[in-house]
Amino acid sequence: MTCDYRIVGPNARFGLPEPKVGLMAAAGGAQRLPRHVPLKVAMGMMLTGEPIDAAEAYRIGLVNEVVEPGDLLPAANRLAAAILILANDELMKSRHWILSDYLALFLVSLTLLSATAAFRSRGRILPWIGTGLALAALTLTKAVFLVFAAVAAVGAIGLIALTRRGRQARTLLALTAWLVAFSLPVGSWMERNQAVGGEFALTASRGGIALSTREVFNHMSEEQYLCAFVYWTRGFGNGLAEKRFPEEVWHPFQIDRPGGFYDVGQNRYQPHVAALMAERGLSERQARQAADAELVHAVMQRPLTHLATTLPLFYRGLWIDTFILFTLPALLWFTVVALRRQHYGLMAAFSLGWFNLLFYALISLNIPRYQMTAVPVLALAGGLAVETLWRAFRKRRPASGEP
């Protein structure tokens, strides 16, 4: 009964015979059997010691397959091969996630360092070129940062307007170098995709599926809204939610739950695209665009609801950082300090983290893995907080030799 999958022959028999000699199944049988078959069936077997045959074991769910004696080993080999194929398939998928996530983590750190150097360079061109190339590499790894680059370009225009008149020309030259260094590799890749796939884009679009999976959370009930904060708390949250909320409230949050939020959001998109293709005679690309437009329209019809449900999803992503209860307040505090002191270097660095934290919560289900690229910014804020506290402590500590 400790097997995960049971294949038996037609002559196999199962039972706990200990009661027939005045004993009980004390080696684990009495504990395991009720987990695999209905309780009343288990009690009957444990109290009487009567065995059951292979057909009955299959009927009550104790075994998975009943095959002829000569087919036992081939059946086991087929099962092992199927598991191995699926495991390798998932490994291949996960390999791309792992590589892109950790590469993006490195590239975010590189972008932060190069941006800090650029803002301290007093208008020198080379550091700005380095910042543009680092952000381009990050965008080619995680296409979502194309949106950040567009927002940063708008911010750069504002920076030029705020710069003193005597330095505007140098600032304009530096930011132009940044924009060109970013645009050349990114634009070239998009041109390549246009030539190969017929679409001027960074990558094959998954935005529709992501937004479909996000939009479904706009239909949470009030009780599910509260449950989300509990369920998505790192460590003990799901167990606590299962104790404090009814089953119909917390069940939809399980990723593998049929009919749950994830299942509905992921699996309704492609059939809808296929239906649009059949009903309107659209190409797949046109059908995807139409489906995406419908999702955007559904969000825009209930903007306040979408913003409200962004809050628990934002909370969900925070738990990528073990020290989030310290680093998030630090990030908020030093963002305010940077804005008040007009420290453009820190503002640029922190904007990368805030974009990551907020944008994923707005457009996706925001599992903590998505926030891996926010970790360097949170670490920067946490480091600044530790340094500030240490300096305050040293300033208040009496000098050596004082009473």
Side-chain angles (χ1 to χ4, degrees):
M1 281 186 288
T2 58
C3 296
D4 296 312
Y5 196 97
R6 302 174 189 89
I7 305 173
V8 302
N11 299 322
R13 292 172 68 81
F14 302 88
L16 298 174
E18 288 88 348
K20 292 190 174 183
V21 292
L23 300 174
M24 68 170 290
Q31 289 77 29
R32 293 190 179 97
L33 185 60
R35 301 174 189 171
H36 298 293
V37 301
L39 179 60
K40 299 302 182 183
V41 176
M43 291 300 294
M45 294 176 65
M46 290 189 292
L47 293 174
T48 67
E50 291 296 326
I52 59 174
D53 59 20
E56 178 65 8
Y58 179 77
R59 188 187 70 81
I60 65 175
L62 186 59
V63 301
N64 299 87
E65 295 181 52
V66 180
V67 300
E68 292 302 318
D71 292 333
L72 280 170
L73 188 57
N77 287 335
R78 284 195 301 271
L79 174 66
I83 293 172
L84 184 61
I85 290 170
L86 291 173
N88 284 337
D89 182 54
E90 288 303 313
L91 180 61
M92 291 300 292
K93 293 177 184 176
S94 301
R95 179 183 59 135
H96 297 294
W97 295 339
I98 293 168
L99 288 176
S100 66
D101 283 344
Y102 286 101
L103 178 59
L105 184 65
F106 166 75
L107 291 172
V108 166
S109 303
L110 183 62
T111 303
L112 290 178
L113 290 172
S114 58
T116 302
F119 276 99
R120 297 181 58 149
S121 67
R122 299 182 181 276
R124 290 199 297 271
I125 302 301
L126 193 58
W128 286 100
I129 293 176
T131 303
L133 291 174
L135 183 57
L138 176 60
T139 302
L140 291 172
T141 305
K142 295 287 187 183
V144 69
F145 285 98
L146 183 61
V147 179
F148 173 78
V151 174
V154 174
I157 296 172
L159 181 60
I160 294 171
L162 292 173
T163 304
R164 291 197 300 269
R165 184 166 298 178
R167 299 182 59 186
Q168 278 185 339
R170 194 168 185 83
T171 302
L172 177 61
L173 182 62
L175 293 175
T176 301
W178 166 78
L179 186 59
V180 171
F182 172 83
S183 301
L184 280 176
V186 173
S188 298
W189 183 255
M190 295 173 73
E191 285 283 358
R192 175 262 180 197
N193 290 342
Q194 172 76 40
V196 173
E199 188 173 1
F200 188 70
L202 273 175
T203 185
S205 177
R206 285 185 53 84
I209 294 179
L211 188 56
S212 174
T213 312
R214 169 62 183 86
E215 193 273 339
V216 75
F217 287 102
N218 290 350
H219 304 281
M220 287 190 290
S221 67
E222 293 179 4
E223 198 170 9
Q224 285 173 330
Y225 186 85
L226 296 175
C227 179
F229 290 97
V230 179
Y231 191 89
W232 286 332
T233 299
R234 185 173 180 170
F236 61 87
N238 56 345
L240 181 60
E242 291 172 11
K243 292 179 180 178
R244 299 298 181 187
F245 293 89
E247 185 174 347
E248 63 271 16
V249 172
W250 58 263
H251 251 175
F253 290 99
Q254 294 180 319
I255 283 188
D256 58 351
R257 175 75 177 176
F261 291 122
Y262 182 81
D263 178 62
V264 172
Q266 286 278 304
N267 296 322
R268 68 178 176 174
Y269 182 78
Q270 293 292 358
H272 185 54
V273 169
L276 290 173
M277 292 171 65
E279 294 169 5
R280 303 183 189 178
L282 303 176
S283 66
E284 183 178 358
R285 179 181 173 187
Q286 291 171 330
R288 287 182 180 277
Q289 290 173 345
D292 294 353
E294 290 178 9
L295 284 168
V296 172
H297 180 68
V299 170
M300 296 307 296
Q301 279 189 318
R302 305 171 66 196
L304 295 180
T305 299
H306 191 77
L307 289 175
T309 55
T310 296
L311 189 58
L313 286 157
F314 172 81
Y315 175 81
R316 180 187 198 181
L318 293 177
W319 294 106
I320 185 65
D321 185 4
T322 304
F323 305 101
I324 194 64
L325 296 178
F326 175 72
T327 56
L328 183 62
L331 177 60
L332 183 61
W333 171 257
F334 284 104
T335 299
V336 173
V337 169
L339 288 170
R340 292 182 62 183
R341 297 182 181 178
Q342 296 185 354
H343 195 306
Y344 298 122
L346 275 182
M347 287 163 59
F350 291 153
S351 67
L352 192 60
W354 282 117
F355 169 83
N356 206 96
L357 290 168
L358 293 170
F359 193 70
Y360 273 114
L362 281 167
I363 65 150
S364 74
L365 74 165
N366 200 31
I367 57 176
R369 181 177 67 84
Y370 292 176
Q371 294 302 333
M372 187 174 289
T373 40
V375 169
V377 181
L378 291 167
L380 173 62
L384 289 172
V386 170
E387 182 189 23
T388 302
L389 292 172
W390 175 247
R391 287 183 175 180
F393 171 75
R394 293 198 62 181
K395 188 177 293 186
R396 293 189 176 188
R397 191 175 63 177
S400 179
E402 293 183 10

